[in-house]
Amino acid sequence: MKTVCVTGPREIPKNKIEYVRQELQREIEQAIADGFTRFLSSMSNNVDLDFAAIVAKKKKQYPELYVEAVIPYSDRVKSKDKRFQELMPQCSGVKVISNERDRDCYFARNRYLVEKSERVIAVSDGKQKSDAAQTLRMAAAKGLELRIIDISDERIE
């Protein structure tokens, strides 16, 4: 099963949200066309939730798609975030990385995403100190295919 994961910053500037959603849609459609059927999302921010929502919708057209929620710690599944709670039942599977919330659970989640994937779709704001940047560095070191959606301020629009 060919696997793709997503990573991105916690916050997307309001003027770039629609652009990110359009690019995620395009990248997911391309991944499906390229034979990817397993989609991993940490379900932790707008990028991850948008990704999961788009793939969940695509499952109606492509029932073979598998959406896996990769949760860093067990209490995260109790989140009061409405969107998170709406999307969790639409996931095909759930992987909980750690029973406890600690510094290491996020790194372990990022490592899991990279170890299980052949392609990474990354929304990048250019910041070097973030979970998304860490995931990108790990993916690059492993030689994974990187698909970058650039939202940095330097990006020419």
Side-chain angles (χ1 to χ4, degrees):
M1 197 178 322
K2 288 175 72 174
T3 303
V4 61
C5 70
V6 69
T7 189
R10 287 194 177 107
E11 298 295 325
I12 302 292
K14 286 186 184 203
N15 65 330
K16 296 185 180 180
I17 291 172
E18 194 53 40
Y19 167 76
V20 169
R21 286 181 178 151
Q22 289 171 359
E23 290 300 297
L24 284 172
Q25 177 84 28
R26 187 180 60 74
E27 288 293 343
I28 289 165
E29 288 172 358
Q30 186 60 58
I32 293 168
D34 293 343
F36 287 85
T37 56
R38 184 176 178 213
F39 294 80
L40 307 181
S41 172
S42 69
M43 309 288 283
S44 63
N45 62 43
N46 291 328
V47 169
D48 299 297
L49 294 173
D50 284 342
F51 177 85
I54 293 166
V55 178
K57 190 174 181 182
K58 290 283 181 190
K59 275 178 63 174
K60 294 172 183 156
Q61 184 179 358
Y62 303 98
E64 70 276 13
L65 298 184
Y66 186 93
V67 184
E68 182 175 330
V70 181
I71 309 298
Y73 58 94
S74 57
D75 280 349
R76 173 73 175 118
V77 297
K78 299 175 187 172
S79 170
K80 293 186 188 330
D81 182 284
K82 182 181 177 201
R83 198 154 172 237
F84 176 90
Q85 291 301 335
E86 288 171 354
L87 284 168
M88 283 300 289
Q90 297 178 54
C91 292
S92 312
V94 177
K95 170 69 175 175
V96 177
I97 300 297
S98 174
N99 289 327
E100 302 295 320
R101 180 180 185 180
D102 58 28
R103 283 182 48 204
D104 295 333
C105 70
Y106 294 99
F107 177 78
R109 176 206 57 203
N110 297 343
R111 187 177 60 232
Y112 179 89
L113 292 170
V114 169
E115 287 176 355
K116 301 298 180 188
S117 298
E118 288 85 32
R119 178 183 290 176
V120 177
I121 299 170
V123 176
S124 175
D125 60 7
K127 294 179 182 161
Q128 295 302 308
K129 291 190 174 189
S130 68
D131 282 339
Q134 178 187 66
T135 304
L136 260 176
R137 286 190 296 274
M138 290 172 21
K142 190 177 174 201
L144 299 183
E145 179 184 357
L146 303 177
R147 305 291 291 235
I148 310 294
I149 300 169
D150 185 3
I151 61 163
S152 65
D153 291 336
E154 291 78 37
R155 186 176 158 270
I156 299 171
E157 294 189 26

